[in-house]
Amino acid sequence: MNGFSNPQWNFRYRGWVDLLDFRETLREPMVPTGRVDLRGEGHFAGGQFNGNGSYSGQNIALPYEIFHATGLTSRGSYRIDNGGLEIPDFLAEAFGAG
């Protein structure tokens, strides 16, 4: 990190997110619950952000009236930049199948 006046940052990260925290913080009962593990690296310079990494989600529970499954899993790799997020190899498993 070279400072804040003209930032040029390279970084790596690993994090765990409990989706229940989002549900409670946003006061939105339709946010699924479960746990997500993510890791990756990125670069920020000149107002441009880009990064890549992978994630996995476990014990995902969907609260929707039409589809209210529990025990779902998901994983994939991702690329992210100022234009959005792309998950080219998204995998979701439900009902014990992949």
Side-chain angles (χ1 to χ4, degrees), residues 35-76:
R35 183 180 164 129
V36 178
D37 177 4
L38 62 134
R39 64 189 77 197
E41 57 187 38
H43 177 75
F44 178 79
Q48 297 297 310
F49 168 75
N50 63 64
N52 61 70
S54 62
Y55 83 93
S56 66
Q58 304 84 30
N59 297 319
I60 306 296
L62 303 177
Y64 314 119
E65 186 176 322
I66 295 172
F67 193 65
H68 50 271
T70 60
L72 305 174
T73 61
S74 177
R75 68 178 179 269

